[in-house]
Amino acid sequence: MPKDPPGGRRAVAVWCIGVAVYFVAVIFRTSLGVAGLEAADRFHVGASALAVFSLLQLLVYAGMQVPVGLMVDRLGTKKVLTLGAVLFTVGQLGFALSPSYGMALAARALLGCGDAMTFISVLRLGTRWFPARRGPLMAQLAGLAGMAGNLVSTLVLAPVLHGVGWTTAFAGSAVAGLVVMVPLVLFLRDNPEGHEPPPVARSRGGSGFVRRQIKESWSEPGTRLGLWVHFTTQFPAQVFLLLWGMPFLVEAQGLSRTTAGGLLTLVVASNMVLGLVYGQIIGRRQSSRIPLALGTVGVTALLWGSVLAYPGDRAPMWLLVTLCLVLGGCGPASMIGFDFARPANPPERQGTASGITNMGGFIGSMTTLLAVGILLDATGDDYRIAFSTVFVLEALGITQILRLRGRALAREAARARVTIPAQSAPQDHPHPHPRPEPEPEPTPRACPVPETSGKGSP
């Protein structure tokens, strides 16, 4: 079995380089969320065409997860992260300079493609540079960096956009992509010396490698469980933050845009705090993964139901605040999915397994975004009916989690029982259970010579 990585200061430095790339990618990803009105004016489009920006970006991101995972397993983290940084920087710059709606869509698709290469790469850095027991915490901290990027786009980019204009704000932000590429190219390494993964078996054609990686990753119940945990926990907050939260709070709840923006920021802040809490809990007790995931889903459904079913037209502010605080737990809970996929797969399949898992939440988000929009059009903007989609997808996800958890946990426990003795066996002995050395025969004790009486008798 491969030795556990040591961690340490160098591991933190390398990991921080990868996280900085992901942080910038999230700023670029969420920059449109604070520029919706300006984008509508610049490209002369309505709300439905504006929503295509978010849907296209999610579609590209979700569709790239498995290919990116395969690329990480085959090419390594540094090459994939570098390519991703180039793509999302060019995409952000292209979005700044786009004169038409079609070119802006192409730029956002390019940005989404580069963005898709960052998170899986950061997860792989965490598993390659830190001990396995710290994996849950490192994953949660990576998610925390993403939320910090979301917060920066809200608090920094929005006023800059209003102050200096569209082209200057977006082109200026693209410089951040160039800045993070410098330490990425110069200092990032895929893994510490002496902890290289076993070489990936090469086939004559690339298709054999792809089929084998996907088939073997998908055959693990832990990978499928991770996908459904990610699917079930992530999408309620994503739908709220990416598109429908602001219209719901302003149109259905009668709040001002300023107050609604404050509630969206509360979701991000709650996510950052709960990410640290979830990471510490799971790092200390692996058995808490399923209860935390299902508990988050249950509390989210309860709060959504309470807001939508509240008597009268509008829910009270305290209930909306509570909903936003609870939605902040969806992101940390979705990271639990990777804590099932990671121990289920060997190092050479970590990228592919993470890509499969990461698809779950974004498939759920795209499905809900589209379903809510269709139901709003069909019902005359009845948010109570439209947001009922959340309960349908949560019920589907809970069913799959309950179906898979037994097999996944049993396989994980069996693998742990095999791994621990293998790692603790003496390395210089040819057999994991050496025969004991024969005990030396005891030395016979000399019998004392009794004194004689001088007559030859004792």
Side-chain angles (χ1 to χ4, degrees):
M1 300 297 296
K3 295 183 292 184
D4 221 16
R9 293 182 179 179
R10 188 180 180 195
V12 172
V14 170
W15 182 80
C16 285
I17 294 173
V19 167
V21 177
Y22 174 58
F23 173 76
V24 173
V26 174
I27 294 176
F28 291 178
R29 179 202 307 172
T30 57
S31 59
L32 184 62
V34 300
L37 296 177
E38 289 80 1
D41 292 338
R42 180 179 177 85
F43 302 117
H44 308 291
V45 295
S48 58
L50 195 61
V52 173
F53 278 121
S54 297
L55 289 173
L56 175 65
Q57 197 164 320
L58 283 178
L59 182 63
V60 171
Y61 190 99
M64 284 292 295
Q65 290 309 293
V66 173
V68 167
L70 292 165
M71 290 170 63
V72 169
D73 287 336
R74 189 150 197 172
L75 302 178
T77 306
K78 182 174 182 175
K79 293 179 180 178
V80 177
L81 259 184
T82 303
L83 177 59
V86 171
L87 291 178
F88 69 60
T89 301
V90 173
Q92 184 77 342
L93 183 61
F95 192 59
L97 304 176
S98 293
S100 66
Y101 176 71
M103 291 186 65
L105 277 178
R108 294 304 287 185
L110 189 65
L111 191 156
C113 185
D115 178 23
M117 298 181 180
T118 58
F119 186 64
I120 293 176
S121 299
V122 172
L123 288 180
R124 183 180 170 100
L125 282 177
T127 60
R128 289 293 174 85
W129 281 89
F130 293 94
R133 67 180 183 278
R134 297 181 65 183
L137 179 60
M138 303 314 295
Q140 292 289 352
L141 289 175
L144 183 66
M147 284 296 103
N150 195 334
L151 205 58
V152 166
S153 67
T154 303
L155 300 179
V156 178
L157 186 59
V160 171
L161 178 65
H162 297 151
V164 302
W166 178 280
T167 301
T168 304
F170 279 98
S173 67
V175 175
L178 298 175
V179 171
V180 296
M181 270 192 265
V182 174
L184 169 61
V185 172
L186 294 179
F187 302 115
L188 191 132
R189 298 292 180 268
D190 287 354
N191 29 252
E193 294 181 7
H195 293 81
E196 293 79 6
V200 178
R202 305 278 179 173
S203 54
R204 180 173 297 180
S207 60
F209 168 79
V210 171
R211 285 196 300 269
R212 183 177 66 254
Q213 289 287 95
I214 295 176
K215 180 180 178 181
E216 292 178 355
S217 297
W218 184 256
S219 66
E220 289 290 344
T223 305
R224 301 197 300 276
L225 177 61
L227 180 145
W228 283 107
V229 168
H230 199 267
F231 173 97
T232 313
T233 53
Q234 189 198 50
F235 78 89
Q238 284 288 310
V239 169
F240 197 78
L241 289 172
L242 285 178
L243 189 59
W244 295 120
M246 182 68 77
F248 170 72
L249 294 173
V250 173
E251 296 178 0
Q253 299 301 316
L255 303 180
S256 67
R257 286 182 175 270
T258 302
T259 305
L263 288 176
L264 295 181
T265 304
L266 182 61
V267 176
V268 177
S270 174
N271 187 306
M272 296 174 71
V273 173
L274 291 177
L276 294 174
V277 175
Y278 279 39
Q280 291 288 348
I281 292 174
I282 297 171
R284 295 176 181 178
R285 295 192 62 181
Q286 289 285 295
S287 59
S288 65
R289 290 173 296 175
I290 289 290
L292 270 179
L294 293 180
T296 302
V297 174
V299 176
T300 303
L302 177 64
L303 266 297
W304 262 122
S306 301
V307 169
L308 297 178
Y310 194 85
D313 295 333
R314 299 173 183 175
M317 179 57 70
W318 66 265
L319 187 55
L320 294 175
V321 169
T322 306
L323 172 64
C324 291
L325 289 173
V326 169
L327 286 176
C330 292
S334 70
M335 302 300 295
I336 298 174
F338 299 102
D339 295 325
F340 288 109
R342 184 169 44 250
N345 293 272
E348 62 270 20
R349 285 207 312 266
Q350 289 293 323
T352 305
S354 296
I356 292 173
T357 300
N358 207 27
M359 285 179 59
F362 291 95
I363 291 174
S365 298
M366 286 189 299
T367 303
T368 311
L369 281 170
L370 185 59
V372 169
I374 292 173
L375 289 173
L376 285 174
D377 289 339
T379 60
D381 293 338
D382 190 329
Y383 281 91
R384 291 184 174 181
I385 295 177
F387 275 126
S388 298
T389 311
V390 172
F391 307 117
V392 176
L393 267 69
E394 284 185 331
L396 172 63
I398 289 173
T399 301
Q400 295 299 320
I401 291 172
L402 295 177
R403 183 178 69 86
L404 290 166
R405 65 172 181 172
R407 279 181 288 168
L409 294 177
R411 289 282 292 271
E412 188 177 302
R415 188 175 287 108
R417 286 194 297 269
V418 171
T419 302
I420 293 174
Q423 289 180 333
S424 59
Q427 299 298 318
D428 56 346
H429 201 283
H431 195 277
H433 300 287
R435 296 179 182 178
E437 294 290 339
E439 296 183 2
E441 295 186 7
T443 303
R445 290 179 296 176
C447 295
V449 179
E451 296 182 359
T452 61
S453 59
K455 295 181 181 179
S457 61

